[in-house]
Amino acid sequence: MLRIQGGEVKLQHWLTLLSGLVESLFFTGIAYGWASLVFVLKNDGYFAAYCTNATRDEDYAVYTDCSGQDEHFSQVMSVASIATTILRFPIGYVYDRCGTAVTRIVAMSLYTTGTLLITLSNAETSVLLYPGLSSLIVAGTMLYITNAQVGNLFHSYRSTTITIYNGAFEASAAVCLIVKLLYERGVSLQTSFLFLTLCNIIHCVRTIFLMPRRHIPYPLPETYTYGVSCTVQKRKRRQEENDTVQKFKEGDAEKTEKDEKVSHYTNAFSFIQLCGVLFCPISGLLMDRHKHRPLAPGETSREADLRSSSLALFLSCLLCFFFCVCFTCPVLLLQYVTFILQVTSSSFFYGLHQAFISIAFPAFHFGKMSGMAMSLSALVLLLQFPLLHLIQNQLHGDPLYVNIGVTVVSLLTFIHPVHVSLYCRELAKQRKNSQLTRQSLRSSDQVALVSLHRV
């Protein structure tokens, strides 16, 4: 039986872990499956007013130019991503200051707002997607932050637990793939998101019965308790299905082939995202691999954790670099590898980011440091707008040189694991010198005592 601080792991701890995994797997990262959702929204006519008739220069053939529609879909995700990165620091501050319960109540409110806005939207009110997706992505981030502390319940597998939750967060993007597949079988977008709105009851139950009011401390006291002890009854709800969905209009053969391809690669990417939950524990296990070995003489637990994290951080940087190399190569079949590397590098990066902060900084600063790091990343995210302008105007739609630049910049990430490794070596060197100094002092004292005894 797994033990924590000499006592058996409580059933409540396992229920918290497993229910949190379900919550993370199906609700926290829904917004990151936006690519699958765009396929559905296009067919329902969202932002269709921005499609215009144009004439090709080669053969003067008239075709429908929907670049304006695509731009709006891209901007919806960009606004949501910027919103969550900017708000990460305030979210972290609220979590540190007010505790788990308050943070989750705000998250549940935003989650309900986001799903209801998408449920009530249609082709005429496409603008509702902007606040809807932004609310959904911020709510998922807040739920993930509250779930990250569950690792404190499992001392020997703390980092592993955090990375498992991160993997579930990444894999929850596949919920949008499920929505897309249901849509193709007659279930409307509004019905699916109405069901997701009703699922908010899961968050309420976890908040009341299986999560602390404030925070889970680390190390965990033996007498620590949280939540309300009672059996939670399962609730089942059925969703009404629409009788029929309007069939896609027939187009020319070339356009149809281009669309099956888009759908195929969208499905492939979503399925690979679902596998993210399998990759994340690897980084956590790498960081926890030393927990069952005795510490070196004079070595602290924090120093051992930092030393163990350097390998995982190096692998994370390596995966990021290979991902940049693959998406730079303009080979369509290579994108399968790109999808795999994107999911694995993202799983490694975000999980290790949370685990490393929990090691390197005091627990009462976890939310603020995590939020500050993600908020700073928003500054980099803003660079996408001038880069897109550069690609579309100066580079005539060819992103090759920008991709090469991003690949070169990704090499800078290796500074972090190298710095951590050098820092740990310096600590080990100081510890060894301190031990040698103490031994030398003891030897000098013994010589002095012998001399005094002879006198």
mmCIF file of all heavy atoms in Angstrom, residues 65-106:
data_model
loop_
_atom_site.group_PDB
_atom_site.id
_atom_site.type_symbol
_atom_site.label_atom_id
_atom_site.label_comp_id
_atom_site.label_asym_id
_atom_site.label_seq_id
_atom_site.Cartn_x
_atom_site.Cartn_y
_atom_site.Cartn_z
ATOM 1 N N ASP A 65 -13.668 33.629 -52.018
ATOM 2 C CA ASP A 65 -12.512 33.894 -51.159
ATOM 3 C C ASP A 65 -12.990 34.050 -49.716
ATOM 4 O O ASP A 65 -13.678 35.010 -49.367
ATOM 5 C CB ASP A 65 -11.805 35.168 -51.626
ATOM 6 C CG ASP A 65 -10.568 35.473 -50.776
ATOM 7 O OD1 ASP A 65 -10.150 34.593 -50.010
ATOM 8 O OD2 ASP A 65 -10.040 36.595 -50.878
ATOM 9 N N CYS A 66 -12.634 33.088 -48.866
ATOM 10 C CA CYS A 66 -13.054 33.103 -47.459
ATOM 11 C C CYS A 66 -11.892 33.387 -46.518
ATOM 12 O O CYS A 66 -11.894 32.936 -45.361
ATOM 13 C CB CYS A 66 -13.704 31.765 -47.090
ATOM 14 S SG CYS A 66 -15.331 31.520 -47.860
ATOM 15 N N SER A 67 -10.880 34.102 -47.028
ATOM 16 C CA SER A 67 -9.741 34.418 -46.166
ATOM 17 C C SER A 67 -10.153 35.314 -45.008
ATOM 18 O O SER A 67 -9.597 35.223 -43.911
ATOM 19 C CB SER A 67 -8.639 35.099 -46.998
ATOM 20 O OG SER A 67 -9.133 36.287 -47.616
ATOM 21 N N GLY A 68 -11.132 36.190 -45.237
ATOM 22 C CA GLY A 68 -11.627 37.034 -44.155
ATOM 23 C C GLY A 68 -12.294 36.226 -43.062
ATOM 24 O O GLY A 68 -12.136 36.515 -41.869
ATOM 25 N N GLN A 69 -13.040 35.186 -43.453
ATOM 26 C CA GLN A 69 -13.668 34.296 -42.476
ATOM 27 C C GLN A 69 -12.612 33.550 -41.674
ATOM 28 O O GLN A 69 -12.690 33.466 -40.434
ATOM 29 C CB GLN A 69 -14.576 33.302 -43.205
ATOM 30 C CG GLN A 69 -15.316 32.342 -42.290
ATOM 31 C CD GLN A 69 -16.017 31.234 -43.071
ATOM 32 O OE1 GLN A 69 -15.505 30.766 -44.093
ATOM 33 N NE2 GLN A 69 -17.181 30.836 -42.592
ATOM 34 N N ASP A 70 -11.602 33.027 -42.365
ATOM 35 C CA ASP A 70 -10.521 32.311 -41.678
ATOM 36 C C ASP A 70 -9.778 33.225 -40.714
ATOM 37 O O ASP A 70 -9.357 32.806 -39.630
ATOM 38 C CB ASP A 70 -9.544 31.729 -42.705
ATOM 39 C CG ASP A 70 -10.176 30.645 -43.563
ATOM 40 O OD1 ASP A 70 -11.136 30.019 -43.080
ATOM 41 O OD2 ASP A 70 -9.724 30.444 -44.696
ATOM 42 N N GLU A 71 -9.603 34.487 -41.111
ATOM 43 C CA GLU A 71 -8.895 35.434 -40.249
ATOM 44 C C GLU A 71 -9.646 35.664 -38.946
ATOM 45 O O GLU A 71 -9.034 35.750 -37.878
ATOM 46 C CB GLU A 71 -8.710 36.758 -40.996
ATOM 47 C CG GLU A 71 -7.895 37.786 -40.211
ATOM 48 C CD GLU A 71 -7.680 39.064 -40.998
ATOM 49 O OE1 GLU A 71 -8.030 39.085 -42.199
ATOM 50 O OE2 GLU A 71 -7.173 40.034 -40.410
ATOM 51 N N HIS A 72 -10.979 35.732 -39.025
ATOM 52 C CA HIS A 72 -11.770 35.928 -37.807
ATOM 53 C C HIS A 72 -11.674 34.708 -36.888
ATOM 54 O O HIS A 72 -11.570 34.857 -35.662
ATOM 55 C CB HIS A 72 -13.233 36.208 -38.153
ATOM 56 C CG HIS A 72 -13.530 37.662 -38.311
ATOM 57 N ND1 HIS A 72 -13.777 38.497 -37.242
ATOM 58 C CD2 HIS A 72 -13.596 38.444 -39.418
ATOM 59 C CE1 HIS A 72 -13.998 39.727 -37.681
ATOM 60 N NE2 HIS A 72 -13.896 39.721 -38.996
ATOM 61 N N PHE A 73 -11.710 33.516 -37.462
ATOM 62 C CA PHE A 73 -11.556 32.310 -36.639
ATOM 63 C C PHE A 73 -10.199 32.297 -35.949
ATOM 64 O O PHE A 73 -10.078 31.917 -34.782
ATOM 65 C CB PHE A 73 -11.728 31.056 -37.490
ATOM 66 C CG PHE A 73 -13.151 30.743 -37.853
ATOM 67 C CD1 PHE A 73 -13.524 30.565 -39.167
ATOM 68 C CD2 PHE A 73 -14.117 30.634 -36.864
ATOM 69 C CE1 PHE A 73 -14.835 30.273 -39.501
ATOM 70 C CE2 PHE A 73 -15.440 30.337 -37.191
ATOM 71 C CZ PHE A 73 -15.801 30.173 -38.509
ATOM 72 N N SER A 74 -9.163 32.718 -36.669
ATOM 73 C CA SER A 74 -7.829 32.783 -36.079
ATOM 74 C C SER A 74 -7.773 33.818 -34.971
ATOM 75 O O SER A 74 -7.161 33.596 -33.912
ATOM 76 C CB SER A 74 -6.798 33.113 -37.167
ATOM 77 O OG SER A 74 -5.509 33.251 -36.616
ATOM 78 N N GLN A 75 -8.449 34.955 -35.167
ATOM 79 C CA GLN A 75 -8.436 36.015 -34.169
ATOM 80 C C GLN A 75 -9.182 35.625 -32.900
ATOM 81 O O GLN A 75 -8.805 36.038 -31.801
ATOM 82 C CB GLN A 75 -9.033 37.292 -34.753
ATOM 83 C CG GLN A 75 -8.140 37.968 -35.779
ATOM 84 C CD GLN A 75 -8.777 39.200 -36.379
ATOM 85 O OE1 GLN A 75 -9.926 39.518 -36.097
ATOM 86 N NE2 GLN A 75 -8.030 39.893 -37.236
ATOM 87 N N VAL A 76 -10.236 34.819 -33.037
ATOM 88 C CA VAL A 76 -10.969 34.357 -31.845
ATOM 89 C C VAL A 76 -10.032 33.589 -30.919
ATOM 90 O O VAL A 76 -9.990 33.831 -29.705
ATOM 91 C CB VAL A 76 -12.163 33.472 -32.251
ATOM 92 C CG1 VAL A 76 -12.780 32.794 -31.019
ATOM 93 C CG2 VAL A 76 -13.238 34.300 -32.949
ATOM 94 N N MET A 77 -9.236 32.667 -31.494
ATOM 95 C CA MET A 77 -8.302 31.894 -30.689
ATOM 96 C C MET A 77 -7.168 32.758 -30.173
ATOM 97 O O MET A 77 -6.714 32.585 -29.033
ATOM 98 C CB MET A 77 -7.738 30.730 -31.517
ATOM 99 C CG MET A 77 -6.883 29.768 -30.706
ATOM 100 S SD MET A 77 -7.842 29.007 -29.362
ATOM 101 C CE MET A 77 -6.550 28.133 -28.490
ATOM 102 N N SER A 78 -6.713 33.707 -30.982
ATOM 103 C CA SER A 78 -5.624 34.582 -30.548
ATOM 104 C C SER A 78 -6.047 35.442 -29.365
ATOM 105 O O SER A 78 -5.306 35.590 -28.385
ATOM 106 C CB SER A 78 -5.174 35.478 -31.706
ATOM 107 O OG SER A 78 -4.654 34.709 -32.764
ATOM 108 N N VAL A 79 -7.240 36.017 -29.435
ATOM 109 C CA VAL A 79 -7.743 36.844 -28.333
ATOM 110 C C VAL A 79 -7.884 36.013 -27.063
ATOM 111 O O VAL A 79 -7.517 36.450 -25.968
ATOM 112 C CB VAL A 79 -9.096 37.484 -28.717
ATOM 113 C CG1 VAL A 79 -9.759 38.125 -27.495
ATOM 114 C CG2 VAL A 79 -8.902 38.522 -29.808
ATOM 115 N N ALA A 80 -8.401 34.789 -27.203
ATOM 116 C CA ALA A 80 -8.562 33.920 -26.028
ATOM 117 C C ALA A 80 -7.212 33.550 -25.423
ATOM 118 O O ALA A 80 -7.051 33.554 -24.193
ATOM 119 C CB ALA A 80 -9.337 32.655 -26.421
ATOM 120 N N SER A 81 -6.230 33.238 -26.270
ATOM 121 C CA SER A 81 -4.902 32.868 -25.766
ATOM 122 C C SER A 81 -4.230 34.038 -25.062
ATOM 123 O O SER A 81 -3.615 33.874 -24.001
ATOM 124 C CB SER A 81 -4.026 32.378 -26.923
ATOM 125 O OG SER A 81 -4.589 31.242 -27.542
ATOM 126 N N ILE A 82 -4.345 35.224 -25.649
ATOM 127 C CA ILE A 82 -3.752 36.403 -25.024
ATOM 128 C C ILE A 82 -4.439 36.710 -23.697
ATOM 129 O O ILE A 82 -3.791 37.077 -22.710
ATOM 130 C CB ILE A 82 -3.842 37.611 -25.982
ATOM 131 C CG1 ILE A 82 -2.942 37.374 -27.192
ATOM 132 C CG2 ILE A 82 -3.452 38.903 -25.272
ATOM 133 C CD1 ILE A 82 -3.098 38.410 -28.286
ATOM 134 N N ALA A 83 -5.766 36.547 -23.665
ATOM 135 C CA ALA A 83 -6.504 36.820 -22.429
ATOM 136 C C ALA A 83 -6.048 35.914 -21.291
ATOM 137 O O ALA A 83 -5.806 36.373 -20.168
ATOM 138 C CB ALA A 83 -8.010 36.635 -22.676
ATOM 139 N N THR A 84 -5.891 34.625 -21.582
ATOM 140 C CA THR A 84 -5.506 33.702 -20.504
ATOM 141 C C THR A 84 -4.075 33.914 -20.049
ATOM 142 O O THR A 84 -3.763 33.796 -18.858
ATOM 143 C CB THR A 84 -5.713 32.242 -20.936
ATOM 144 O OG1 THR A 84 -5.506 31.386 -19.804
ATOM 145 C CG2 THR A 84 -4.762 31.824 -22.028
ATOM 146 N N THR A 85 -3.165 34.265 -20.971
ATOM 147 C CA THR A 85 -1.782 34.480 -20.556
ATOM 148 C C THR A 85 -1.627 35.768 -19.761
ATOM 149 O O THR A 85 -0.866 35.822 -18.793
ATOM 150 C CB THR A 85 -0.860 34.510 -21.785
ATOM 151 O OG1 THR A 85 -1.419 35.364 -22.791
ATOM 152 C CG2 THR A 85 -0.687 33.123 -22.366
ATOM 153 N N ILE A 86 -2.359 36.814 -20.155
ATOM 154 C CA ILE A 86 -2.298 38.067 -19.406
ATOM 155 C C ILE A 86 -2.896 37.910 -18.015
ATOM 156 O O ILE A 86 -2.415 38.479 -17.035
ATOM 157 C CB ILE A 86 -3.019 39.189 -20.181
ATOM 158 C CG1 ILE A 86 -2.223 39.561 -21.435
ATOM 159 C CG2 ILE A 86 -3.221 40.429 -19.303
ATOM 160 C CD1 ILE A 86 -2.889 40.606 -22.298
ATOM 161 N N LEU A 87 -3.964 37.109 -17.925
ATOM 162 C CA LEU A 87 -4.661 36.961 -16.647
ATOM 163 C C LEU A 87 -4.046 35.904 -15.742
ATOM 164 O O LEU A 87 -4.531 35.714 -14.623
ATOM 165 C CB LEU A 87 -6.138 36.605 -16.907
ATOM 166 C CG LEU A 87 -6.993 37.708 -17.536
ATOM 167 C CD1 LEU A 87 -8.382 37.178 -17.855
ATOM 168 C CD2 LEU A 87 -7.090 38.912 -16.606
ATOM 169 N N ARG A 88 -3.001 35.210 -16.194
ATOM 170 C CA ARG A 88 -2.428 34.156 -15.367
ATOM 171 C C ARG A 88 -1.906 34.679 -14.031
ATOM 172 O O ARG A 88 -2.069 34.029 -12.992
ATOM 173 C CB ARG A 88 -1.300 33.437 -16.115
ATOM 174 C CG ARG A 88 -1.774 32.359 -17.076
ATOM 175 C CD ARG A 88 -2.559 31.262 -16.399
ATOM 176 N NE ARG A 88 -1.761 30.487 -15.506
ATOM 177 C CZ ARG A 88 -1.162 29.337 -15.805
ATOM 178 N NH1 ARG A 88 -1.292 28.842 -16.993
ATOM 179 N NH2 ARG A 88 -0.454 28.699 -14.902
ATOM 180 N N PHE A 89 -1.256 35.838 -14.047
ATOM 181 C CA PHE A 89 -0.752 36.374 -12.779
ATOM 182 C C PHE A 89 -1.890 36.767 -11.828
ATOM 183 O O PHE A 89 -1.860 36.390 -10.652
ATOM 184 C CB PHE A 89 0.175 37.563 -13.022
ATOM 185 C CG PHE A 89 0.719 38.149 -11.751
ATOM 186 C CD1 PHE A 89 1.688 37.484 -11.023
ATOM 187 C CD2 PHE A 89 0.243 39.359 -11.278
ATOM 188 C CE1 PHE A 89 2.186 38.014 -9.841
ATOM 189 C CE2 PHE A 89 0.732 39.907 -10.102
ATOM 190 C CZ PHE A 89 1.715 39.229 -9.382
ATOM 191 N N PRO A 90 -2.918 37.528 -12.287
ATOM 192 C CA PRO A 90 -4.048 37.791 -11.391
ATOM 193 C C PRO A 90 -4.732 36.520 -10.893
ATOM 194 O O PRO A 90 -5.141 36.442 -9.738
ATOM 195 C CB PRO A 90 -4.996 38.634 -12.256
ATOM 196 C CG PRO A 90 -4.119 39.271 -13.267
ATOM 197 C CD PRO A 90 -3.037 38.272 -13.552
ATOM 198 N N ILE A 91 -4.835 35.520 -11.774
ATOM 199 C CA ILE A 91 -5.446 34.255 -11.356
ATOM 200 C C ILE A 91 -4.614 33.597 -10.261
ATOM 201 O O ILE A 91 -5.144 33.117 -9.251
ATOM 202 C CB ILE A 91 -5.583 33.302 -12.571
ATOM 203 C CG1 ILE A 91 -6.661 33.812 -13.528
ATOM 204 C CG2 ILE A 91 -5.933 31.882 -12.110
ATOM 205 C CD1 ILE A 91 -6.693 33.057 -14.844
ATOM 206 N N GLY A 92 -3.290 33.573 -10.466
ATOM 207 C CA GLY A 92 -2.400 33.000 -9.458
ATOM 208 C C GLY A 92 -2.478 33.750 -8.145
ATOM 209 O O GLY A 92 -2.444 33.147 -7.064
ATOM 210 N N TYR A 93 -2.611 35.082 -8.216
ATOM 211 C CA TYR A 93 -2.714 35.881 -6.986
ATOM 212 C C TYR A 93 -4.009 35.558 -6.246
ATOM 213 O O TYR A 93 -4.010 35.406 -5.015
ATOM 214 C CB TYR A 93 -2.658 37.376 -7.327
ATOM 215 C CG TYR A 93 -2.759 38.261 -6.111
ATOM 216 C CD1 TYR A 93 -1.643 38.519 -5.324
ATOM 217 C CD2 TYR A 93 -3.977 38.823 -5.741
ATOM 218 C CE1 TYR A 93 -1.735 39.321 -4.201
ATOM 219 C CE2 TYR A 93 -4.086 39.629 -4.623
ATOM 220 C CZ TYR A 93 -2.954 39.874 -3.856
ATOM 221 O OH TYR A 93 -3.058 40.656 -2.744
ATOM 222 N N VAL A 94 -5.117 35.455 -6.986
ATOM 223 C CA VAL A 94 -6.401 35.100 -6.362
ATOM 224 C C VAL A 94 -6.311 33.733 -5.703
ATOM 225 O O VAL A 94 -6.806 33.530 -4.585
ATOM 226 C CB VAL A 94 -7.532 35.130 -7.412
ATOM 227 C CG1 VAL A 94 -8.817 34.528 -6.846
ATOM 228 C CG2 VAL A 94 -7.788 36.556 -7.876
ATOM 229 N N TYR A 95 -5.660 32.783 -6.390
ATOM 230 C CA TYR A 95 -5.524 31.431 -5.833
ATOM 231 C C TYR A 95 -4.701 31.442 -4.546
ATOM 232 O O TYR A 95 -5.075 30.818 -3.545
ATOM 233 C CB TYR A 95 -4.883 30.519 -6.874
ATOM 234 C CG TYR A 95 -4.474 29.170 -6.340
ATOM 235 C CD1 TYR A 95 -5.427 28.221 -5.979
ATOM 236 C CD2 TYR A 95 -3.129 28.842 -6.191
ATOM 237 C CE1 TYR A 95 -5.042 26.986 -5.487
ATOM 238 C CE2 TYR A 95 -2.743 27.616 -5.697
ATOM 239 C CZ TYR A 95 -3.704 26.687 -5.350
ATOM 240 O OH TYR A 95 -3.320 25.471 -4.851
ATOM 241 N N ASP A 96 -3.561 32.149 -4.554
ATOM 242 C CA ASP A 96 -2.717 32.212 -3.350
ATOM 243 C C ASP A 96 -3.404 32.964 -2.218
ATOM 244 O O ASP A 96 -3.260 32.606 -1.045
ATOM 245 C CB ASP A 96 -1.388 32.894 -3.687
ATOM 246 C CG ASP A 96 -0.497 32.014 -4.550
ATOM 247 O OD1 ASP A 96 -0.692 30.782 -4.525
ATOM 248 O OD2 ASP A 96 0.372 32.553 -5.245
ATOM 249 N N ARG A 97 -4.130 34.012 -2.555
ATOM 250 C CA ARG A 97 -4.721 34.874 -1.540
ATOM 251 C C ARG A 97 -6.037 34.328 -0.985
ATOM 252 O O ARG A 97 -6.255 34.317 0.230
ATOM 253 C CB ARG A 97 -4.972 36.263 -2.146
ATOM 254 C CG ARG A 97 -5.609 37.274 -1.213
ATOM 255 C CD ARG A 97 -4.601 37.820 -0.247
ATOM 256 N NE ARG A 97 -5.170 38.868 0.587
ATOM 257 C CZ ARG A 97 -4.509 39.479 1.550
ATOM 258 N NH1 ARG A 97 -3.230 39.161 1.766
ATOM 259 N NH2 ARG A 97 -5.078 40.413 2.287
ATOM 260 N N CYS A 98 -6.905 33.864 -1.882
ATOM 261 C CA CYS A 98 -8.272 33.476 -1.486
ATOM 262 C C CYS A 98 -8.471 31.973 -1.345
ATOM 263 O O CYS A 98 -9.453 31.544 -0.731
ATOM 264 C CB CYS A 98 -9.281 34.038 -2.486
ATOM 265 S SG CYS A 98 -9.193 35.829 -2.697
ATOM 266 N N GLY A 99 -7.605 31.171 -1.926
ATOM 267 C CA GLY A 99 -7.711 29.729 -1.759
ATOM 268 C C GLY A 99 -8.417 29.029 -2.906
ATOM 269 O O GLY A 99 -8.831 29.638 -3.900
ATOM 270 N N THR A 100 -8.567 27.714 -2.733
ATOM 271 C CA THR A 100 -9.098 26.853 -3.794
ATOM 272 C C THR A 100 -10.571 27.106 -4.067
ATOM 273 O O THR A 100 -10.990 27.208 -5.227
ATOM 274 C CB THR A 100 -8.889 25.378 -3.413
ATOM 275 O OG1 THR A 100 -7.495 25.144 -3.202
ATOM 276 C CG2 THR A 100 -9.392 24.460 -4.503
ATOM 277 N N ALA A 101 -11.385 27.198 -3.008
ATOM 278 C CA ALA A 101 -12.834 27.300 -3.182
ATOM 279 C C ALA A 101 -13.217 28.544 -3.979
ATOM 280 O O ALA A 101 -14.005 28.471 -4.932
ATOM 281 C CB ALA A 101 -13.524 27.311 -1.818
ATOM 282 N N VAL A 102 -12.668 29.688 -3.613
ATOM 283 C CA VAL A 102 -12.993 30.937 -4.317
ATOM 284 C C VAL A 102 -12.542 30.866 -5.776
ATOM 285 O O VAL A 102 -13.275 31.269 -6.694
ATOM 286 C CB VAL A 102 -12.334 32.135 -3.604
ATOM 287 C CG1 VAL A 102 -12.519 33.410 -4.419
ATOM 288 C CG2 VAL A 102 -12.926 32.318 -2.216
ATOM 289 N N THR A 103 -11.337 30.347 -6.002
ATOM 290 C CA THR A 103 -10.818 30.236 -7.362
ATOM 291 C C THR A 103 -11.703 29.349 -8.225
ATOM 292 O O THR A 103 -12.004 29.669 -9.377
ATOM 293 C CB THR A 103 -9.386 29.670 -7.341
ATOM 294 O OG1 THR A 103 -8.566 30.479 -6.490
ATOM 295 C CG2 THR A 103 -8.790 29.664 -8.739
ATOM 296 N N ARG A 104 -12.169 28.249 -7.669
ATOM 297 C CA ARG A 104 -13.012 27.319 -8.430
ATOM 298 C C ARG A 104 -14.408 27.907 -8.669
ATOM 299 O O ARG A 104 -15.024 27.643 -9.709
ATOM 300 C CB ARG A 104 -13.099 25.975 -7.710
ATOM 301 C CG ARG A 104 -11.803 25.186 -7.773
ATOM 302 C CD ARG A 104 -11.948 23.835 -7.069
ATOM 303 N NE ARG A 104 -12.906 22.976 -7.740
ATOM 304 C CZ ARG A 104 -12.632 22.194 -8.775
ATOM 305 N NH1 ARG A 104 -11.397 22.172 -9.274
ATOM 306 N NH2 ARG A 104 -13.564 21.436 -9.311
ATOM 307 N N ILE A 105 -14.918 28.693 -7.737
ATOM 308 C CA ILE A 105 -16.221 29.329 -7.945
ATOM 309 C C ILE A 105 -16.153 30.307 -9.111
ATOM 310 O O ILE A 105 -17.042 30.355 -9.970
ATOM 311 C CB ILE A 105 -16.684 30.044 -6.653
ATOM 312 C CG1 ILE A 105 -17.069 29.004 -5.594
ATOM 313 C CG2 ILE A 105 -17.872 30.962 -6.935
ATOM 314 C CD1 ILE A 105 -17.354 29.600 -4.240
ATOM 315 N N VAL A 106 -15.068 31.096 -9.161
ATOM 316 C CA VAL A 106 -14.872 32.010 -10.300
ATOM 317 C C VAL A 106 -14.721 31.212 -11.595
ATOM 318 O O VAL A 106 -15.289 31.571 -12.629
ATOM 319 C CB VAL A 106 -13.633 32.898 -10.063
ATOM 320 C CG1 VAL A 106 -13.361 33.764 -11.293
ATOM 321 C CG2 VAL A 106 -13.824 33.771 -8.837
#
